[in-house]
Structure formats: structure tokens, C-alpha cells
Amino acid sequence: MGVPNSREYHYYHAPSAPFKIIVKTRNEPLKKECPKWKSEYPMTEGQLRSKRDEFWDTAPAFDGRKEIWDALRAAALAVECNDLELAQAIVDGACITLPHGSLTESYDELGNRYQLPAYTLAPPINLITETSSDCKVSDCTQKQAQASPCREDFQLRVRLSTGKDVRLTASMADSIAELKKQLEEREDIEVTRQRWFFSGKLLTDKTRLQDAKIQKDFVVQVIVNINPSVITN
């Protein structure tokens, strides 16, 4: 007769069969305590989720049965949500035996052994909590990183009415107003004294280089007025 609340697996050695040993596993109820562990490096909640997903996606390739791995994943999620009753029901329904009352080690009814790493059951003690401010900074950084590759700077050739050529750092998204300020910083020519022309047309401050189809090999004419009061743009 077997031990109450336990599972027994009897194996024997026959001349025509491989040698097997007797495995006797006691089934303990699932305990509330979760494993405490520390990551080698502080990880965020997102990194922890990625690490877990990677394990569960590859777990069926290990020894054991896929349906048992799926049940263990559901039970682990229930434990993390502090729903011990649901986790126990999942374990019992899948006929999973827990020798130590923990999901870290378990057996199915065929005697296959399953081991779960601590990070699938509980977060590390050095988990980095992602606050809302951190998320905003992260989103801002990500947007900047995404926007940077879109800006392709080139040297815009500007020919002043004084006969001097100046090269400004520009992009197709820059407006004439922005380039006027850059020219003011470079040549000390006030914005109110500048009138920009391309192909004989006056360029307004709101015009962007892409709107006027101005490229890096083109030359923009800039008339520098002595009397800024006569400029209307």
C-alpha cells in the first residue's frame, strides 16, 4: 500500500528491457512562500518579462510534455498573483506532484521531472521599478533616437549680395527662419536685414527647404539690406 497523498512509480529489470529504478515521490500541497533570489545585474520589469517569455517559449523543447509545461506556466502566473487556490487547482487538474510544495521541482504522472528557475516564480530582490517619470524619459529618448536618423544634414551654400559665399549646416526639414538665425550667428547679419531668394522667388520664414525643393548642390541668394526697415517678409 502506498503512502497517503503520494505517488509511486514502480520499475523493474527484465532481460529484454532496460534497467529502471523505483521512484517514490510524496505530493505536498503548494506553499505560499516564493523563492527569494538576486539577479547578477539589476533588471527592469520589462527585462524580467522578456526573460520569462524566453524560458516558457523554449520549455517544451526540454524533457517532459508540453501540456504539463503549459499547466506549470499558468500555475506560476497564479502564484505571482497571490491566487494560491487557483494554482493548486491547476496543479491537481494536471496530475502534477510537488515533492517540496513548490513549483521549482515537480513530476507528472509518468514520472517526468520538471524544474522551474526562480525568476519564473518571483521577481529578484534587486528589481528596478519603472516609474512613470522613467517611462517618460525613456519614451523621449526613444523618440529622439528615432528622429535622429531622419535628419540628414548637409552644407547649404548661401551667396550673399556682398559677394561672399557662406556654407550653413542644414537639413531638408529646416525652415528659412531657422537658417536666418544661423546666418546671423555666423556672419553677424541681423535677421531683419536678410532676404532669401531661390529661383527668383522670395522665400518666407515659414518655408522649409523641402517645400522649395532646395538640395545641397543648389545655391540660395541672400540680399543683405543696409536699412532693415524696408524689409517685409
Side-chain angles (χ1 to χ4, degrees), residues 187-204:
E187 300 296 324
D188 196 22
I189 302 174
E190 296 178 1
V191 172
T192 55
R193 296 174 54 201
Q194 302 176 31
R195 298 179 68 187
W196 288 50
F197 290 86
F198 180 70
S199 297
K201 295 182 180 180
L202 177 66
L203 302 175
T204 63

Side-chain angles (χ1 to χ4, degrees), residues 11-119:
Y11 299 86
Y12 59 92
H13 176 61
S16 60
F19 178 75
K20 295 184 180 180
I21 61 174
I22 298 177
V23 178
K24 188 175 183 180
T25 306
R26 181 176 179 83
N27 189 20
E28 295 286 345
L30 190 59
K31 299 178 182 178
K32 187 176 182 180
E33 295 81 6
C34 293
K36 293 183 179 181
W37 64 285
K38 183 176 181 179
S39 175
E40 295 181 0
Y41 58 90
M43 64 171 57
T44 63
E45 295 174 355
Q47 291 173 328
L48 177 61
R49 288 194 297 269
S50 298
K51 190 175 181 67
R52 287 176 174 176
D53 291 341
E54 182 181 0
F55 172 81
W56 291 118
D57 290 342
T58 57
F62 304 156
D63 292 337
R65 297 146 59 194
K66 184 180 183 303
E67 59 270 23
I68 300 299
W69 284 115
D70 293 340
L72 290 172
R73 182 175 188 175
L77 180 60
V79 169
E80 189 174 13
C81 296
N82 294 321
D83 195 340
L84 201 64
E85 184 177 355
L86 175 60
Q88 185 67 62
I90 295 173
V91 168
D92 293 341
C95 297
I96 297 174
T97 300
L98 307 177
H100 309 292
S102 173
L103 294 174
T104 54
E105 182 184 6
S106 61
Y107 294 84
D108 63 13
E109 56 187 346
L110 300 180
N112 297 311
R113 185 187 184 193
Y114 301 81
Q115 290 181 296
L116 301 185
Y119 62 80

Side-chain angles (χ1 to χ4, degrees), residues 43-47 49 127-135 138:
M43 64 171 57
T44 63
E45 295 174 355
Q47 291 173 328
R49 288 194 297 269
L127 180 70
I128 300 176
T129 303
E130 298 175 343
T131 60
S132 57
S133 60
D134 293 335
C135 292
S138 177

Side-chain angles (χ1 to χ4, degrees), residues 185-232:
E185 294 174 356
R186 288 277 303 274
E187 300 296 324
D188 196 22
I189 302 174
E190 296 178 1
V191 172
T192 55
R193 296 174 54 201
Q194 302 176 31
R195 298 179 68 187
W196 288 50
F197 290 86
F198 180 70
S199 297
K201 295 182 180 180
L202 177 66
L203 302 175
T204 63
D205 289 347
K206 294 182 180 180
T207 303
R208 299 186 181 276
L209 295 185
Q210 60 188 7
D211 300 332
K213 298 181 180 179
I214 299 174
Q215 302 178 16
K216 62 180 180 179
D217 297 329
F218 295 168
V219 179
V220 179
Q221 303 287 338
V222 176
I223 296 178
V224 181
N225 276 55
I226 300 177
N227 184 5
S229 61
V230 300
I231 298 180
T232 57

